[in-house]
Amino acid sequence: MARNKVQFQKGLDMAEFQRLYGSEEQCHAALVTMRWPTGFICPKCTTSKYSFCTPKRLFQCSGCGLQTSVRAGTVFQKSKTPLTKWFLAMHLMTCSKNDISGM
Ligand SMILES: [Zn+2]
């Protein structure tokens, strides 16, 4: 019987997960890379030039002035839960071989 490669792929242990996604900055950077793999692109005018407002983590388009965040338009939009908790929940849900609590 053939083995399913997806089912037997090596997972990410908790220590490695914490090293890669342990801080809000790391999770934000990972989300930026996932959303805009070639760099920021304005959703309104498709300009790639922007300025970044660090305290609120907002991207401001240099073309049209639109302010947006990496969360806008994703499942994380309007969530006040830190990305570290979202990433941990996604990690636990996808790596757990048993049931996990929704809490
Ligand atoms: Zn724009």
Side-chain angles (χ1 to χ4, degrees), residues 52-97:
F52 187 71
C53 177
T54 305
K56 293 185 177 181
R57 294 195 174 106
L58 292 175
F59 291 84
Q60 181 165 355
C61 174
S62 298
C64 69
L66 177 77
Q67 285 189 336
T68 187
S69 74
V70 72
R71 289 177 174 227
T74 69
V75 294
F76 309 112
Q77 184 175 350
K78 295 187 179 181
S79 170
K80 296 194 184 302
T81 304
L83 287 174
T84 49
K85 285 188 179 179
W86 277 114
F87 274 53
L88 179 60
M90 292 187 294
H91 175 66
L92 292 175
M93 288 179 70
T94 55
C95 288
S96 174
K97 293 183 177 179

Side-chain angles (χ1 to χ4, degrees), residues 96-101:
S96 174
K97 293 183 177 179
N98 304 320
D99 293 339
I100 63 167
S101 167

Side-chain angles (χ1 to χ4, degrees), residues 42-47 61-66:
C42 176
K44 186 176 176 185
C45 71
T46 67
T47 298
C61 174
S62 298
C64 69
L66 177 77

Side-chain angles (χ1 to χ4, degrees), residues 1-54:
M1 177 184 283
R3 294 177 67 171
N4 184 337
K5 287 183 180 178
V6 172
Q7 187 177 1
F8 293 99
Q9 67 184 335
K10 189 174 184 214
L12 191 65
D13 65 39
M14 191 54 74
E16 185 67 7
F17 174 81
Q18 284 298 325
R19 189 183 69 76
L20 293 173
Y21 306 109
S23 71
E24 192 68 15
E25 289 76 22
Q26 289 173 306
C27 293
H28 184 269
L31 195 56
V32 168
T33 302
M34 285 182 246
R35 182 155 185 200
W36 298 302
T38 58
F40 172 79
I41 297 172
C42 176
K44 186 176 176 185
C45 71
T46 67
T47 298
S48 59
K49 292 184 179 180
Y50 68 96
S51 56
F52 187 71
C53 177
T54 305

